[in-house]
Amino acid sequence: MKHHSTSMKIEKKRKSVLHTRNIMFCLIISAGLFSGCSENNHIRQRMEAYNIVWTEQSASSFRSMPLSGTRGYGANIWVQNNALYGYLAGNESYDENGDLLKLGCFRLELSPNPFREGTRFEQTLDPYNGRILVKTESTDGNEAWLTLWYDQTSPDLYIRTETGQETECRLSLATWRTKVDTVALDNWDLPTVSVVRPDSLEIDPATVMLYHQNDNRRLELTTILEKQKMTEYASLVPDVTRDLIFGCIAAGEDMVSVDTKESFDGFSWSGKAVSLQSNGKKKNRLITIHCSTDVQTDADAWIRQMKQSVGESLCRAETSEQQSIKRWNEFWEHGYVFINPDAGSKDEGWQVGRNYQLFRYMLACNEGGKLPLKFNGGIFTVEPVDQSLIKHLPAYDPWWPDKKATPDYRKWGNFFMAQNQRLVGWAGLVSGDRSLMEPSLKYYTDRLKLAEARSRRYWNHGGASFPECLSPYGLPVQRIAAADGSMLYGHLNNHYSMQIEFAFMMIQYCRYSDIDIRNYLPFIESVLRFYDEHYRMEHKKRTGKELGEDGCLVLYPMNSLEAFADVTDPVEVIAGMRKVCEEILRFKGKIPDDTRQYVEQLSKIIPEIPYETRDGVTVIAPARQYEKFFNEWELPEMFTVWPYATFGINNAEATRIAENTWEHVPEKRQNALSFWSWMCTPIYAACMGREADARRLIIEKMSDKNANADFPAFFGPGHDWIPDFNWGASGMIALHKMLVNTAGDSTLLFSAWPKDWDVEYKLYLPKNKFIRGKYTKEKTSVVTDASDEHAFLIRNPGNADAIPFRPEKATQ
């Protein structure tokens, strides 16, 4: 596939306008800031090299491009059978079953058809300006341009058509949810198929609309509360489904509705559609599709608001496009990683850099969102393709849905598996996209009181209880949960490893953003209290004493991730508790005295990191005691390397123990050193300075090597679905650590960077400080605005030794 910049005439005109504006801007600012303008142009050129250009139409939605918006909205866009298609999505559109559904599908047709056989075709994703451009040119010289973008203030998708000859236009909105139906959704709360309820289609003279209104009498949450004996706490549940209406409405310049509900076929699904038809022929036309997800009991009032909103959207199209371009330009200038930028698209390092940026672009759709993007597809899922089209699969059989699956399908259904979801949050820390972390943190803080109620209900003690296998509501998914607070599957019961990691993520978010930690102290302290009170209770039941013989907590029974069950003192929980306490106490005057005293006392009774001997060397153990083995893909020992950095960047002796652990993984667990999906092996390799392993694994993770979809950042399937968001997120984190590995107030540069990879980057340090650098085989330059108290070391690529280093001080 070729990757190059579009050559559309409309683009030449627009670029000329933008170029003139940039020149005038540079002339009027001071000479001291001129370099900033040059830098912006440089970033634009780098990003334009990452444009994805397809010169053939697509056979199905599996070959689609993501169009990323804001506040959780976006679309999959492709051209098939001479028409433009899109799946519309919003990250809050949860139905009665707690499943995230698409808003619907649109189809745009032009007549005379510019996509007819024999025409030159280009579909381009232009991430720097946040839009998709489609161009056709017939043999007789007639041209057509389609431009699609999302508004930055309202969930509106705009489509502008510009044609060399006058054309008619037809825009259809379609849904496959046309009746009460049973379809495969891989939702563990329900039987193998889910009962999905129909959408509604509406027409008035100037608009067409489709929407889904949840039926409050059939909410899965009611069943969850009853089975888990939590009904009395229903008021504490952030109910993402009750009274919810979600859908879309379309309007266009000089377009009127077609008074019919027509069949919509040609896919693995069939459905119904409502359409707008142009009132005459024009060369230029604007269409907008306004999307919405709201809590509203009155459907008529919601419809009236939708009609008003779509009319307002049409009136602000020109301003909307300018605002969208501005937002995306600033997004890329805020942070970036360009690898081997002059090497070209066949170079694996170049691909890693491009796919890093493309995945950031996909994550950016959730800026301002209320809920975290789901690890198993985000909002960019499509209907499953024939499994024979999937070339790269891990060494086990990922079950595949039957032919009745729709674009709503995703593997693992409505799961919010915490160990997967965490990666989507962590990815924004060092990239500087910390607003994209906020929905992940908000998910937990909004559900804190519910988690505390679980502890009171089941065990009559304090603290927050967040198990691994959560639903969108914050309670465990139904099929896995028992009525006594336990889980019905051994690899998930007593799996409380991740709530301490989200507490640590909150601390790091505050450190990097330089904001008040007190906003998150209730959550952090409550999580610590759960381990404290729950395992005092458990140990007292068995022995009559709250603490072990050494005066420390005895964390039993617990899981060590999904690897081992019924363990004592799992290493990832111990490392997390110790690091959270250590970091909280570093905040000094910002912590209330009673919280500080509690954390100080608790820190004295947290068990030590467990070690053992393998092959004659000391290694980190998964737990103090462990026997029941479940999952060969897990490496709980490496949580001491990341995220908790127990073995600091200045401690060579301790890091050697971590490397021993990596090098002596037992034979039955060797798959844990692989790279699929949520696996964090390239992060661990980077943190340990294992350059060869980091390079190999980041290529496996982020280059085109294992691509199944034509869009290279649609990673997967691995353990999860396509596009696999925890796959891309773990790759982003690994790249950050390879370049800028910060622990506490120290940063190691080029922790594990390949010596033959050139790189330009702008990333972030604690206290909202940036670090901008460039490395080539001839020269290294680093600039930062961090304070002099922040310590830097550098490990020049290819050199194992880290030495003190002072970056150049930024002047702006």
Side-chain angles (χ1 to χ4, degrees):
M1 184 186 303
K2 294 173 67 179
H3 301 275
H4 55 77
S5 301
T6 180
S7 58
M8 300 180 185
K9 292 180 180 178
I10 192 69
E11 277 305 285
K12 290 181 179 178
K13 180 178 179 181
R14 186 174 292 109
K15 286 180 180 179
S16 176
V17 172
L18 291 174
H19 179 64
T20 301
R21 183 173 12 176
N22 286 340
I23 290 174
M24 293 181 67
F25 178 74
C26 290
L27 288 174
I28 62 175
I29 62 176
S30 66
L33 295 181
F34 185 82
S35 60
C37 181
S38 300
E39 181 190 359
N40 294 347
N41 287 333
H42 179 72
I43 293 166
R44 173 180 57 79
Q45 292 168 4
R46 292 292 191 224
M47 286 302 304
E48 285 181 349
Y50 292 160
N51 284 5
I52 302 297
V53 181
W54 294 341
T55 55
E56 295 178 350
Q57 295 189 30
S58 302
S60 72
S61 62
F62 187 66
R63 190 175 189 262
S64 62
M65 292 178 177
L67 183 62
S68 187
T70 58
R71 293 195 290 167
Y73 289 90
N76 295 74
I77 304 295
W78 75 102
V79 175
Q80 178 181 349
N81 296 330
N82 300 323
L84 177 74
Y85 288 90
Y87 285 144
L88 302 161
N91 197 43
E92 299 170 35
S93 55
Y94 283 87
D95 77 343
E96 295 92 332
N97 300 321
D99 280 300
L100 184 63
L101 305 186
K102 297 287 189 186
L103 299 175
C105 176
F106 77 81
R107 178 176 64 200
L108 179 68
E109 301 165 287
L110 299 175
S111 180
N113 194 330
F115 299 113
R116 61 188 181 275
E117 186 176 353
T119 60
R120 178 177 173 237
F121 172 85
E122 284 185 2
Q123 178 179 334
T124 302
L125 174 66
D126 172 15
Y128 183 68
N129 294 304
R131 57 193 175 176
I132 288 176
L133 306 149
V134 180
K135 176 188 176 181
T136 67
E137 183 177 352
S138 64
T139 54
D140 59 6
N142 285 321
E143 296 179 313
W145 302 270
L146 280 66
T147 306
L148 297 90
W149 74 93
Y150 266 96
D151 189 75
Q152 301 305 298
T153 59
S154 178
D156 299 318
L157 170 66
Y158 286 96
I159 308 172
R160 185 177 59 240
T161 68
E162 299 165 284
T163 54
Q165 59 180 315
E166 292 186 337
T167 60
E168 293 181 340
C169 178
R170 186 180 183 91
L171 188 283
S172 302
L173 291 181
T175 179
W176 45 92
R177 301 182 293 263
T178 57
K179 63 182 184 298
V180 176
D181 200 4
T182 56
V183 297
L185 285 177
D186 196 15
N187 187 337
W188 279 35
D189 280 0
L190 301 164
T192 53
V193 293
S194 298
V195 178
V196 176
R197 307 196 180 277
D199 295 341
S200 300
L201 295 92
E202 297 283 342
I203 301 172
D204 76 4
T207 65
V208 292
M209 177 192 304
L210 65 86
Y211 66 92
H212 185 96
Q213 184 173 21
N214 284 352
D215 186 342
N216 288 342
R217 298 168 299 176
R218 296 179 170 85
L219 298 181
E220 178 67 6
L221 176 60
T222 303
T223 307
I224 290 176
L225 290 167
E226 290 174 353
K227 180 182 177 183
Q228 298 180 27
K229 308 297 183 185
M230 291 290 291
T231 303
E232 65 183 288
Y233 300 107
S235 62
L236 301 179
V237 178
D239 190 345
V240 298
T241 56
R242 186 174 298 276
D243 297 333
L244 204 68
I245 304 181
F246 51 87
C248 49
I249 183 171
E253 295 175 342
D254 299 318
M255 298 186 75
V256 295
S257 63
V258 179
D259 189 16
T260 182
K261 296 177 182 178
E262 59 205 51
S263 296
F264 198 93
D265 301 308
F267 297 95
S268 61
W269 54 269
S270 59
K272 295 291 184 182
V274 287
S275 300
L276 292 171
Q277 180 70 43
S278 59
N279 188 10
K281 295 184 176 182
K282 292 178 65 175
K283 288 188 175 181
N284 301 316
R285 182 172 281 106
L286 182 72
I287 298 167
T288 185
I289 304 175
H290 175 74
C291 304
S292 180
T293 304
D294 290 305
V295 174
Q296 173 62 269
T297 57
D298 185 345
D300 291 336
W302 186 81
I303 290 170
R304 288 193 298 272
Q305 181 59 52
M306 290 287 281
K307 291 178 180 179
Q308 178 180 336
S309 296
V310 77
E312 294 170 350
S313 300
L314 275 176
C315 295
R316 63 168 183 271
E318 183 175 350
T319 302
S320 170
E321 185 174 18
Q322 294 170 356
Q323 290 177 339
S324 178
I325 291 172
K326 182 175 183 292
R327 177 252 178 151
W328 283 109
N329 291 177
E330 291 174 348
F331 178 78
W332 300 118
E333 290 154 10
H334 181 68
Y336 49 82
V337 176
F338 303 126
I339 303 173
N340 293 346
D342 301 317
S345 61
K346 294 189 181 301
D347 179 82
E348 289 177 322
W350 186 94
Q351 293 169 10
V352 169
R354 179 201 59 199
N355 296 346
Y356 168 93
Q357 297 287 67
L358 293 180
F359 187 72
R360 269 189 75 212
Y361 165 79
M362 292 164 60
L363 288 178
C365 74
N366 208 29
E367 188 172 49
K370 296 179 181 178
L371 291 168
L373 291 168
K374 284 180 62 60
F375 70 95
N376 50 349
I379 61 169
F380 295 115
T381 56
V382 299
E383 68 267 37
V385 296
D386 190 297
Q387 190 171 355
S388 65
L389 297 177
I390 304 299
K391 303 183 289 293
H392 306 287
L393 290 170
Y396 68 96
D397 182 23
W399 60 88
W400 217 252
D402 63 24
K403 293 182 179 179
K404 203 172 183 181
T406 72
D408 293 326
Y409 179 88
R410 65 182 72 224
K411 190 177 176 183
W412 305 111
N414 64 3
F415 271 35
F416 268 74
M417 297 298 282
Q419 193 176 334
N420 306 58
Q421 290 292 153
R422 66 188 179 121
L423 298 169
V424 179
W426 279 120
L429 185 70
V430 177
S431 66
D433 305 325
R434 288 186 292 279
S435 64
L436 303 181
M437 299 178 69
E438 291 166 4
S440 295
L441 305 183
K442 191 176 188 316
Y443 173 90
Y444 279 90
T445 55
D446 284 354
R447 290 153 180 78
L448 173 59
K449 292 186 181 303
L450 179 64
E452 291 173 334
R454 288 189 80 248
S455 294
R456 292 194 300 273
R457 169 67 183 80
Y458 298 130
W459 305 296
N460 196 32
H461 63 62
S465 167
F466 285 100
E468 167 69 11
C469 45
L470 293 169
S471 67
Y473 312 104
L475 291 168
V477 290
Q478 181 72 316
R479 185 174 289 189
I480 287 175
D484 63 355
S486 64
M487 303 298 117
L488 299 177
Y489 293 82
H491 69 294
L492 293 169
N493 194 24
N494 299 310
H495 186 344
Y496 296 109
S497 302
M498 289 301 110
Q499 59 183 32
I500 191 66
E501 184 169 336
F502 276 94
F504 183 56
M505 188 187 301
M506 292 171 189
I507 292 170
Q508 293 296 87
Y509 171 79
C510 292
R511 283 207 174 278
Y512 274 72
S513 302
D514 203 23
I515 64 173
D516 196 335
I517 187 64
R518 284 173 287 194
N519 296 327
Y520 294 101
L521 278 182
F523 180 92
I524 295 166
E525 184 174 347
S526 188
V527 164
L528 289 171
R529 284 189 181 277
F530 171 80
Y531 298 117
D532 185 10
E533 298 188 22
H534 187 77
Y535 288 101
R536 285 177 183 267
M537 176 199 74
E538 290 284 0
H539 197 61
K540 188 173 183 179
K541 282 194 303 185
R542 295 190 305 275
T543 68
K545 298 179 181 180
E546 291 187 342
L547 301 177
E549 294 300 324
D550 60 357
C552 291
L553 291 170
V554 179
L555 302 177
Y556 173 87
M558 288 199 79
N559 274 37
S560 183
L561 303 181
E562 295 181 25
F564 299 94
D566 292 340
V567 309
T568 301
D569 295 348
V571 67
E572 75 278 10
V573 176
I574 292 172
M577 291 179 68
R578 295 177 73 86
K579 182 60 70 170
V580 165
C581 289
E582 174 189 322
E583 290 290 314
I584 284 294
L585 296 176
R586 289 181 64 209
F587 277 93
K588 299 181 180 178
K590 296 182 179 179
I591 305 299
D593 289 343
D594 56 345
T595 300
R596 175 174 296 281
Q597 291 169 6
Y598 174 70
V599 172
E600 286 176 342
Q601 292 168 2
L602 179 62
S603 65
K604 297 173 183 177
I605 61 171
I606 300 173
E608 296 290 334
I609 299 293
Y611 298 97
E612 64 187 14
T613 300
R614 292 182 202 152
D615 305 325
V617 297
T618 300
V619 300
I620 306 159
R624 190 86 52 208
Q625 295 177 341
Y626 61 98
E627 292 181 4
K628 291 185 181 180
F629 176 62
F630 278 95
N631 191 322
E632 62 186 319
W633 300 90
E634 301 270 23
L635 266 180
E637 302 96 316
M638 288 292 110
F639 277 63
T640 60
V641 173
W642 184 84
Y644 301 124
T646 301
F647 307 124
I649 60 179
N650 296 315
N651 192 333
E653 181 180 353
T655 301
R656 184 63 238 174
I657 296 176
E659 292 202 68
N660 288 344
T661 309
W662 175 278
E663 293 165 0
H664 295 273
V665 172
E667 184 176 354
K668 68 179 181 179
R669 297 175 59 208
Q670 282 292 308
N671 276 335
L673 295 175
S674 190
F675 64 90
W676 302 98
S677 196
W678 44 261
M679 301 180 75
C680 294
T681 47
I683 307 176
Y684 306 147
C687 291
M688 291 186 290
R690 299 178 68 92
E691 179 185 315
D693 285 325
R695 176 193 179 120
R696 170 179 57 84
L697 289 163
I698 201 66
I699 287 173
E700 296 278 12
K701 181 82 85 167
M702 294 292 280
S703 74
D704 296 350
K705 184 176 181 179
N706 292 291
N708 284 298
D710 282 354
F711 187 75
F714 277 4
F715 304 111
H719 301 288
D720 302 315
W721 199 229
I722 300 177
D724 187 332
F725 269 60
N726 45 200
W727 181 314
S730 60
M732 282 185 66
I733 299 162
L735 269 182
H736 297 159
K737 290 296 183 181
M738 291 169 71
L739 285 164
V740 178
N741 185 8
T742 298
D745 294 323
S746 297
T747 295
L748 173 59
L749 303 178
F750 304 119
S751 175
W753 194 254
K755 64 181 180 180
D756 60 340
W757 281 12
D758 296 347
V759 65
E760 301 170 9
Y761 63 90
K762 183 178 181 182
L763 298 171
Y764 286 83
L765 304 170
K767 299 184 179 180
N768 207 24
K769 302 301 182 180
F770 74 83
I771 184 163
R772 185 173 67 240
K774 181 177 182 180
Y775 163 79
T776 68
K777 288 170 281 296
E778 293 78 28
K779 184 179 180 181
T780 300
S781 60
V782 182
V783 176
T784 184
D785 63 346
S787 70
D788 293 335
E789 286 74 31
H790 193 95
F792 289 90
L793 299 97
I794 190 168
R795 176 181 289 134
N796 290 315
N799 188 335
D801 296 326
I803 60 174
F805 176 78
R806 175 49 54 187
E808 181 183 343
K809 201 70 174 177
T811 57
Q812 54 172 318

